[in-house]
């Protein structure tokens, strides 16, 4: 299927059904969210009774809808009336339906029949049908928040599709927390007509999207999914969380191979083969997708660790050694000589580069710049930033501030943190290599000037080095999958 | 669904270019002894027939027969089972301390899959096996092998050579090609013994869709 899902994610006008004077009804909530999040296309509120809701005149007949002004309809009305509404909408030029309404195949036999009829009707009228029983569409690039639950999300490069509407909310909550935004998101509901893989295919050609983030439960056409996803992953990374098990069935039972072939084992192998990036849980799935969305793809596995001091470097080196893809590369000799000129002799002289407190004002930006350009280094993990900001915080809130020259030192520390954050982004962009900054301050002190500056540059500050290592490991695996020669 | 005899299974995988231990078929103990002399001692002896699937559990396998008298006794003993359409399969005893398992199975959702993993008596307990959807590329096969948890056990080990990765990839590609034959429902190569680095099947079991003539 290659239907144009543009009408779902970038509509020129939207009709919402099920709008009433009760502000808690799904139709009313969807209308509210569309109107209040800044959608600029035309909006039509459809209800049973004429009224003015949220300043919007409620219409009770499609006669009041001009032709070709709305191409998307959000259905928040009961099963019994929806087929008629779809027919009328189609006559007015609607091209896509998002059916938020429940009462379909998720309920009983009658619901299943109603769902099949709705799917057949959409096919007959040549309409895109998403849902039913989904929570809605959030498409920040179109300023569109057409959903019956919170939240909205900032604009970004991650496209979300989920078989559970609540996980759409979870991903969008993380987007709001981190500032790493969303291009499109959709709760696929029962995915009766438009399936998860249909959305992924469209995301792959959507100019607003760089990476897909997907929560998948059931899978009915496994082979078809595989054949299509492995083409999609050639265009963009697909980060996937799989819940539950796929429908199994009888395999040749007399063989050992058959008895060892569990559904989860086969799914796991299929996912690797298709170039899917599998995440174990929702939080890390978002973090991995956010890394794909904000960092360049590494060209190889060689990681350099740069730390201002101590144990951070050691545990990070351990995590890299235990990872499946990453290599803690020996420090190249020419780079060692360059660093010797920048630092007093007590620095580590190896990877991790431990500055051992020997840095001065410009050391870290200079180091990042030369190290990131080195041809034998593919990526950098940067640790131990934020200390100066932390120090500044204690001084600023202490009883001696701003006397005793303390104001000046606080300013200095905070300025330095800003420089470090900027240098890490600049070196990454200039070299085209990932530079990941990790510090617990990301969660313990989100107002730390380093953390704030990383966030303002639209990148993630990872809450621990292990999380940075894990995200980078996925980037390297995907990069190597994409470069496979045969 | 039909399980074929080990000799027929061996023929199918051997024709596909998959290495199997040397073998002969015999109908009488004397014929079997001649075959064993050709193959060399120690050798193994199995009762062979299409109705015999789980030979070990039923005591239809005699391994590591070192002398001619032992061999003859074992042959006579096996034939006393008087199973219809059965004969004797004489094979070489492969020498290698590590075993792997490989196979092909058809999944109702994903279609034909190639499997490879750590073998031996611990296969089912450890269950360190991986699957890929057939047909596979050599990239897939290499990735499959390296994604095993016990991949370290396939490196150089107690004076034995490391597993020949290219030979293993080749074997997995051939299993994938066999999946193109719709008649073949599943293949078990269990165990494959690692001899001088190369995986060689010491047993083979092929399930076919219907009785072949």
């Amino acid at each position: 299927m290659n239907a144009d899902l543009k009408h779902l994610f970038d509509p020129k006008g939207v009709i919402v059904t099920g709008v009433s004077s009760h502000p808690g009804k799904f139709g009313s909530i969807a209308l509210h969210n569309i109107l209040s999040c800044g959608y600029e296309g035309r909006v039509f509120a459809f209800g049973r009774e004429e009224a003015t809701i949220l300043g919007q005149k409620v219409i009770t007949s499609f006669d009041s809808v001009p032709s070709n002004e709305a191409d998307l309809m959000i259905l928040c009305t009961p099963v019994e009336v929806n087929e008629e509404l779809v027919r009328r909408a189609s006559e007015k030029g609607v091209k896509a339906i998002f059916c938020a309404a429940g009462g379909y195949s998720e309920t009983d036999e009658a619901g299943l029949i109603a769902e099949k009829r709705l799917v057949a009707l959409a096919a007959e009228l040549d309409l895109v049908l998403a849902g039913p029983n989904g929570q809605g569409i959030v498409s920040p690039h179109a300023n569109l928040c057409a959903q019956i639950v919170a939240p909205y999300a900032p604009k970004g490069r991650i496209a979300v599709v989920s078989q559970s509407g609540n996980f759409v909310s979870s991903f969008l909550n993380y987007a709001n927390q981190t500032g790493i935004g969303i291009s499109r998101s959709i709760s696929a509901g029962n995915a009766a007509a438009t399936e998860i893989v249909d959305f992924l295919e469209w995301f792959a050609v959507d100019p607003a999207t760089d990476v897909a983030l997907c929560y998948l439960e059931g899978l009915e056409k496994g082979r078809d999914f595989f054949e299509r996803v492995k083409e999609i992953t050639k265009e963009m990374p697909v980060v996937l969380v799989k819940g539950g098990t796929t429908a199994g069935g009888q395999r040749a039972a007399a063989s050992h191979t058959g008895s060892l072939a569990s559904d989860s084992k086969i799914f796991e192998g299929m996912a690797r083969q298709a170039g899917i990036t599998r995440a174990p849980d929702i939080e890390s799935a978002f973090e991995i997708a956010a890394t794909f969305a904000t960092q360049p793809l590494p060209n190889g596995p060689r990681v350099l660790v740069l730390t201002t001091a101590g144990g951070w470097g050691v545990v990070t080196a351990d995590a890299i050694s235990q990872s499946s893809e990453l290599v803690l590369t020996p420090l190249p000799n020419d780079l060692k000589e360059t660093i010797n000129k920048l630092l007093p002799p007590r620095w580590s002289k190896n990877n991790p580069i431990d500055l051992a407190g020997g840095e001065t004002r410009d050391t870290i930006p200079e180091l990042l710049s030369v190290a990131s350009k080195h041809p034998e280094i593919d990526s950098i993990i940067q640790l131990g930033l934020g200390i100066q900001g932390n120090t500044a915080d204690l001084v600023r809130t202490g009883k001696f501030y701003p006397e005793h020259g303390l104001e000046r030192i606080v300013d200095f520390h905070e300025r330095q943190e800003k420089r470090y954050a900027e240098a890490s982004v600049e070196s990454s962009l200039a070299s085209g290599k990932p530079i990941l900054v990790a510090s617990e301050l990301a969660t313990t002190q989100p107002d730390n000037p380093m953390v704030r500056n990383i966030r303002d540059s639209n990148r993630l500050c990872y809450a621990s080095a292990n999380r940075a290592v894990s995200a980078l490991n996925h980037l390297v695996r995907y990069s190597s999958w994409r470069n496979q020669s045969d | 669904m039909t399980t074929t005899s080990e000799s027929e299974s061996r023929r199918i995988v051997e024709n596909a270019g998959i290495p199997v231990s040397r073998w002969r078929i015999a109908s009488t103990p004397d014929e079997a002894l001649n075959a064993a002399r050709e193959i060399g001692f120690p050798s193994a002896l199995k009762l062979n027939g299409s109705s015999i699937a789980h030979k070990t559990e039923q005591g239809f396998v005699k391994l590591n027969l070192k002398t001619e008298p032992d061999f003859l006794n074992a042959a006579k003993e096996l034939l006393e089972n008087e199973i219809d359409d059965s004969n004797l399969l004489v094979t070489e005893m492969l020498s290698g301390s590590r075993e792997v398992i490989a196979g092909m199975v058809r999944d109702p959702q994903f279609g034909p899959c190639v499997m490879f993993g750590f073998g031996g008596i611990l296969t089912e307990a450890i269950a360190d096996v991986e699957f890929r959807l057939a047909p596979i590329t050599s990239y897939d096969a290499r990735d499959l092998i390296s994604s095993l948890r016990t991949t370290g056990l396939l490196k150089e080990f107690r004076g034995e050579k490391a597993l020949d990765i290219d030979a293993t990839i080749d074997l997995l590609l051939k299993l994938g090609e066999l999946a193109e034959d719709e008649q073949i429902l599943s293949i078990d190569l269990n165990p494959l013994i690692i001899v001088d680095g190369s995986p060689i099947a010491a047993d083979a079991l092929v399930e076919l869709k219907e009785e072949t003539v």
Side-chain angles (χ1 to χ4, degrees):
Chain A
M1 143 163 185
N2 200 12
D4 197 356
L5 305 189
K6 191 174 188 294
H7 302 293
L8 280 176
F9 294 108
D10 195 9
K12 60 181 175 187
V14 183
I15 302 169
V16 184
T17 74
V19 176
S20 81
S21 57
H22 190 311
K25 293 283 185 196
F26 285 161
S28 306
I29 298 171
L31 177 69
H32 170 272
N33 293 346
I34 292 168
L35 292 175
S36 72
C37 291
Y39 178 64
E40 286 162 1
R42 292 204 59 182
V43 179
F44 302 91
F46 188 93
R48 273 194 307 191
E49 289 162 13
E50 285 185 6
T52 301
I53 310 277
L54 306 172
Q56 186 85 16
K57 190 173 178 304
V58 175
I59 54 175
T60 56
S61 154
F62 274 84
D63 295 341
S64 321
V65 180
S67 286
N68 299 318
E69 287 289 325
D71 48 350
L72 172 64
M73 179 163 73
I74 311 290
L75 275 178
C76 300
T77 25
V79 173
E80 312 81 74
V81 302
N82 285 341
E83 286 178 45
E84 178 62 16
L85 292 174
V86 168
R87 282 192 186 281
R88 296 288 83 80
S90 171
E91 287 163 10
K92 294 292 183 175
V94 162
K95 303 285 184 216
I97 310 286
F98 185 93
C99 186
Y104 288 93
S105 67
E106 79 284 3
T107 55
D108 53 17
E109 193 62 28
L112 177 66
I113 292 166
E115 185 168 296
K116 285 186 173 159
R117 288 176 56 101
L118 190 64
V119 170
L121 178 62
E124 176 200 322
L125 301 174
D126 202 18
L127 301 174
V128 172
L129 171 66
N133 189 35
Q135 294 186 354
I137 303 162
V138 172
S139 188
H141 286 266
N143 301 310
L144 179 67
C145 183
Q147 69 170 355
I148 56 176
V149 290
Y152 192 47
K155 282 191 184 71
R157 312 291 305 169
I158 304 172
V160 174
V161 57
S162 173
Q163 269 178 328
S164 153
N166 292 313
F167 282 146
V168 172
S169 299
S170 299
F171 289 134
L172 268 47
N173 285 329
Y174 286 123
N176 279 300
Q177 184 205 354
T178 59
I180 310 300
I182 300 295
S183 57
R184 325 285 186 187
S185 84
I186 190 154
S187 152
N190 299 349
T194 312
E195 299 170 21
I196 296 282
V197 67
D198 298 321
F199 291 112
L200 293 175
E201 273 176 356
W202 191 80
F203 293 156
V205 296
D206 172 25
T209 297
D210 287 338
V211 50
L213 178 52
C214 172
Y215 173 77
L216 182 73
E217 256 167 36
L219 197 56
E220 274 162 18
K221 294 180 278 180
R223 189 78 195 196
D224 174 69
F225 181 83
F226 168 72
E227 300 291 352
R228 290 166 69 185
V229 170
K230 73 179 162 70
E231 299 306 314
I232 294 167
T233 47
K234 286 174 188 162
E235 304 300 323
M236 68 169 180
V238 175
V239 180
L240 180 138
V241 184
K242 174 77 172 66
T245 51
T246 51
Q250 284 289 302
R251 291 184 198 93
S255 71
H256 285 99
T257 310
S259 67
L260 289 163
S262 67
D263 294 327
S264 61
K265 266 282 163 204
I266 292 182
F267 188 89
E268 180 187 314
M270 179 284 294
R272 261 187 98 106
Q273 198 175 356
I276 290 170
T277 300
R278 256 190 103 180
D281 54 70
I282 297 297
E283 187 179 15
S284 52
F286 181 82
E287 199 154 281
I288 295 161
T291 307
F292 275 117
T294 55
Q295 296 276 355
L297 263 191
N299 283 323
R302 298 164 300 182
V303 189
L304 177 75
V305 178
L306 178 59
T307 176
T308 53
W312 286 312
V314 179
V315 295
T316 308
D318 289 346
I320 290 171
S321 309
Q322 283 158 23
S323 73
S324 61
E325 317 290 325
L326 305 181
V327 174
L328 188 73
T329 190
L331 200 58
N333 277 328
D334 54 333
L335 187 56
K336 204 182 286 182
E337 279 162 30
T338 313
I339 301 172
N340 272 333
K341 290 174 202 149
L342 297 172
L343 282 169
R346 65 173 183 276
W347 75 283
S348 65
K349 300 188 180 58
N350 212 334
N351 187 10
I353 298 178
D354 177 356
L355 307 181
E359 73 272 24
T360 53
R361 233 172 55 100
D362 300 317
T363 318
I364 290 177
E366 280 172 18
L367 248 174
L368 277 172
S369 171
V370 291
S372 62
K373 281 182 198 137
H374 200 281
E376 289 166 43
I377 288 167
D378 300 311
S379 60
I380 297 178
I381 292 179
Q382 202 186 352
L383 308 166
L385 299 188
I387 303 181
Q388 285 177 264
N390 220 358
T391 305
D393 189 53
L394 191 64
V395 174
R396 186 197 282 284
T397 54
K399 63 179 176 182
F400 299 107
Y401 184 83
E403 307 302 326
H404 313 284
L406 292 179
E407 189 172 16
R408 202 165 57 87
I409 194 71
V410 164
D411 282 354
F412 170 72
H413 284 321
E414 292 186 340
R415 239 184 2 256
Q416 283 297 95
E417 294 292 6
K418 185 164 189 286
R419 285 192 69 207
Y420 300 152
E422 284 168 359
S424 122
V425 177
E426 277 163 21
S427 290
S428 170
L429 293 176
S431 62
K433 296 174 186 177
I435 300 183
L436 282 67
V437 176
S439 166
E440 74 287 348
L441 294 165
T443 48
T444 60
Q445 201 188 59
D447 279 340
N448 184 289
M450 180 277 291
V451 177
R452 219 173 44 229
N453 279 295
I454 294 280
R455 189 193 153 108
D456 289 348
S457 68
N458 282 315
R459 291 197 168 197
L460 273 182
C461 179
Y462 297 81
S464 72
N466 293 65
R467 281 164 68 168
V469 166
S470 166
L472 187 56
N473 195 57
H474 283 290
L475 261 62
V476 169
R477 177 183 290 171
Y478 174 69
S479 172
S480 120
W481 183 86
R482 251 179 69 161
N483 293 330
Q484 63 180 281
S485 49
D486 43 41
Chain B
M1 169 168 54
T2 317
T3 309
T4 55
S5 65
E6 181 174 339
S7 58
E8 183 54 27
S9 300
R10 280 172 170 263
R11 209 165 274 136
I12 291 169
V13 297
E14 211 171 26
N15 284 344
I18 291 170
V20 300
S21 59
R22 286 186 295 145
W23 60 284
R24 298 277 187 284
I25 288 294
S27 338
T28 65
D30 285 338
E31 254 183 71
L33 184 60
N34 280 333
R37 283 173 181 150
E38 245 179 83
I39 289 171
F41 287 95
S43 57
L45 198 50
K46 307 178 191 182
L47 199 59
N48 179 57
S50 58
S51 58
I52 307 168
H54 295 284
K55 298 181 286 287
T56 310
E57 289 83 341
Q58 299 183 66
F60 293 163
V61 178
K62 307 281 182 189
L63 294 177
N64 209 20
L65 301 165
K66 291 183 181 114
T67 65
E68 296 196 356
D70 282 355
F71 185 93
L72 274 176
N73 282 337
K76 283 172 192 156
E77 213 178 293
L78 284 178
L79 287 174
E80 277 165 16
N81 287 295
E82 291 184 357
I83 302 229
D84 284 349
D85 296 324
S86 68
N87 51 22
L88 293 168
L89 178 72
V90 185
T91 76
E92 73 175 311
M93 281 301 297
L94 295 171
S95 92
S97 63
R98 286 169 301 170
E99 299 178 356
V100 288
I101 176 171
M104 189 279 286
V105 66
R106 291 183 192 278
D107 181 79
Q109 271 253 25
F110 290 102
C113 301
V114 170
M115 182 270 269
F116 181 69
F118 192 69
I121 51 167
L122 297 176
T123 297
E124 264 147 46
I126 296 176
D128 185 18
V129 295
E130 288 279 333
F131 291 81
R132 294 293 183 273
L133 274 51
I136 57 172
T137 64
S138 56
Y139 178 91
D140 298 330
R142 193 181 299 276
D143 182 61
L144 188 167
I145 298 164
S146 68
S147 61
L148 290 169
R149 278 178 287 125
T150 44
T151 190
L153 290 168
L154 304 174
K155 299 198 169 117
E156 252 182 80
F157 181 78
R158 295 194 172 184
E160 287 185 26
K161 277 192 193 165
L163 177 70
D164 183 336
I165 300 293
D166 288 335
T168 310
I169 289 172
D170 191 53
L171 184 148
L172 296 177
L173 291 178
K174 282 168 177 157
L175 277 175
E177 285 162 18
L178 278 170
E180 285 165 26
D181 182 347
E182 296 285 339
Q183 284 300 311
I184 301 178
L185 284 181
S186 79
I187 303 169
D188 264 352
L189 303 175
N190 183 27
L192 292 143
I193 313 274
I194 303 176
V195 183
D196 228 13
S198 300
I200 299 172
D203 197 351
L205 176 66
V206 174
E207 283 176 286
L208 297 176
K209 221 175 211 170
E210 53 208 45
E211 205 98 26
T212 47
V213 187

